[in-house]
Amino acid sequence: MGGMHAHVILAAGQGTRMRSRLPKVLHPLLGKPMLLYALEAALALKPERLVVVVGHGGEKVVEALEGYPVEVAWQKEQLGTAHALLQAEGLLRDFPGPFLVTQGDTPLLSPRTLEALLRRVREGAGMALLTAELPDPTGYGRILREGEEVLGNVEEKDAPPEVRAIREVNAGAYAFDGFLFQALKEVRNENAAREYYLPDLVAIYRAHGRRVLAVRGVAEEALGVNTREELARVEGVLLRRLRAEWMGKGVRMILPETIYLEPSVELAPDVTLWPGAVLKGKTRIGEGCEVGPYAVLEDTVLEPGAKANHLTYLGDATVGAKANIGAGTITCNYDGFGKYPTRIGAGAFI
Ligand code: UD1
Ligand code: MG
């Protein structure tokens, strides 16, 4: 699939339902801000331009974006998702399209799904949006459709009971042709929330005779994060995937559902992880190592055959081959200012 496209990620919202001082899109999933998942999915498609719209807690959000090839647009007042997208117009005015638009609070979207959206527009649709059938559609916009064509989206707040009963929802990922910014100017805020709704573009595109198609995705990818409970659910999905990947590569996990690890961790074949093990940061564990129950390892390297027994904390440590770290051992790596490495030699017995 050739050709260039631009991508806009909406990340200016406050995230009231999280009840947190931290901007919603910066809440960590497996140690990494949720926004970076959306960002990495966007980058996988090599967009010609990539704009992140920031607003609430914007300085912190911009900081988290450091080092990534993105442009930033500011939404000073959070007046809704359509208004947020309109703030990217100044940067993208001369870009002919197509455009991908995603939300910073939808971390499980895959590049493949984004590609499918883009393809619909490249093949002639004016707009394509991702939908999913959810067992519990509460909180999401409901999709009105006829065959492959979408007739409209109704936000839950505005939906009568018969529309609330629809389980096909708007997943918050869209592709648009070059008509986008013109169409955005027609969005009104006459609704329950007094907000400018991005999915109102469905009706506007149709009123201009442009086709709007749905791409039906898998439910998991559509999961958005608006509450702490949804954050935990998405983190659970990411953890399950990560554990399955390492077990596939030869790691033994006892009661895998109790084991926490981050995407930055590396494990060798024949590593054994006991229940409740917590592996964080740049931890690397060598072949045949054993990590005991409720051991916490952070930025720690365990050479082949080493053992860290239960209730151990190892931070910023390197543990030599076949060393045995007895139960309850703690390495002190932080004095409140600096981080200090600990080196434990091969064959040591603590
Ligand atoms: C939105 C969709 C809904 C969809 C759901 C999928 C609208 C009106 N509704 O609802 O149809 O089912 O996502 O997850 O679009 N944001 C801004 N500026 C604003 C408001 C929001 O940048 O003024 C950003 C937020 O940071 C967030 C995204 O837009 O990343 C979505 O906002 P949110 O308030 O979470 O919308 P939902 O209620 O989840
Ligand atoms: Mg949301």
Side-chain angles (χ1 to χ4, degrees):
M1 182 181 66
M4 36 180 215
H5 72 279
H7 192 130
V8 181
I9 301 177
L10 308 180
Q14 180 175 359
T16 321
R17 290 163 281 181
M18 297 293 283
R19 301 189 186 277
S20 172
R21 281 182 205 283
L22 192 65
K24 178 169 77 173
V25 296
L26 294 187
H27 278 260
L29 289 165
L30 305 186
K32 194 163 89 173
M34 138 177 27
L35 174 59
L36 297 187
Y37 289 85
L39 191 66
E40 281 163 16
L43 284 170
L45 268 66
K46 303 195 187 334
E48 190 73 12
R49 309 279 299 272
L50 175 52
V51 177
V52 180
V53 182
V54 306
H56 182 81
E59 289 83 7
K60 277 193 194 159
V61 177
V62 167
E63 238 172 73
L65 292 171
E66 216 191 289
Y68 285 94
V70 299
E71 302 168 71
V72 168
W74 282 81
Q75 184 194 26
K76 296 263 153 56
E77 257 187 299
Q78 281 69 64
L79 302 178
T81 45
H83 178 261
L85 181 53
L86 196 52
Q87 309 314 303
E89 190 191 17
L91 291 169
L92 298 176
R93 185 171 289 126
D94 298 326
F95 195 86
F99 300 93
L100 274 174
V101 178
T102 54
Q103 304 184 162
D105 70 348
T106 309
L108 298 176
L109 270 184
S110 71
R112 250 187 84 195
T113 299
L114 294 177
E115 233 163 50
L117 287 170
L118 208 45
R119 200 177 311 125
R120 295 298 188 285
V121 170
R122 290 226 163 92
E123 289 168 359
M127 168 178 179
L129 76 165
L130 181 67
T131 73
E133 184 115 356
L134 298 187
D136 177 10
T138 308
Y140 291 82
R142 308 297 205 282
I143 296 297
L144 310 177
R145 70 145 91 202
E146 211 173 70
E148 231 203 321
E149 272 191 63
V150 182
L151 308 180
N153 167 79
V154 186
E155 289 301 300
E156 174 155 297
K157 282 181 184 159
D158 304 295
E162 66 275 16
V163 173
R164 283 190 190 206
I166 296 173
R167 288 196 297 123
E168 188 179 10
V169 304
N170 170 24
Y174 316 83
F176 299 96
D177 65 7
F179 184 58
L180 173 62
F181 289 107
Q182 203 181 316
L184 270 175
K185 290 183 187 115
E186 293 183 25
V187 177
R188 299 284 167 266
N189 66 346
E190 281 130 32
N191 52 53
R194 295 310 243 150
E195 280 187 6
Y196 295 89
Y197 291 160
L198 175 49
D200 282 2
L201 289 175
V202 173
I204 294 167
Y205 262 76
R206 286 178 59 83
H208 285 270
R210 291 169 192 251
R211 256 155 67 83
V212 179
L213 299 182
V215 170
R216 177 83 69 109
V218 289
E220 200 172 80
E221 282 195 38
L223 291 179
V225 176
N226 299 306
T227 63
R228 300 276 186 173
E229 219 183 317
E230 287 167 342
L231 185 76
R233 189 175 311 151
V234 166
E235 198 162 42
V237 171
L238 289 167
L239 262 178
R240 233 182 301 121
R241 286 183 189 169
L242 200 55
R243 292 189 202 108
E245 188 187 322
W246 285 115
M247 286 191 272
K249 291 179 181 165
V251 171
R252 177 184 182 207
M253 297 190 187
I254 301 162
L255 290 185
E257 60 280 11
T258 67
I259 292 168
Y260 174 90
L261 71 168
E262 296 181 344
S264 41
V265 169
E266 287 174 46
L267 307 172
D270 288 321
V271 161
T272 297
L273 303 178
W274 285 83
V278 172
L279 310 179
K280 297 164 82 170
K282 296 194 170 66
T283 292
R284 265 194 294 131
I285 304 195
E287 200 167 312
C289 286
E290 199 163 327
V291 179
Y294 306 105
V296 178
L297 275 58
E298 204 169 348
D299 297 324
T300 281
V301 178
L302 279 182
E303 308 280 5
K307 259 176 109 161
N309 290 312
H310 56 276
L311 303 175
T312 289
Y313 173 78
L314 297 172
D316 299 286
T318 303
V319 180
K322 299 208 168 127
N324 185 315
I325 313 297
T329 303
I330 288 172
T331 66
C332 201
N333 62 319
Y334 185 61
D335 62 2
F337 302 98
K339 298 256 260 170
Y340 304 93
T342 299
R343 281 174 211 293
I344 298 170
F349 190 96
I350 298 178

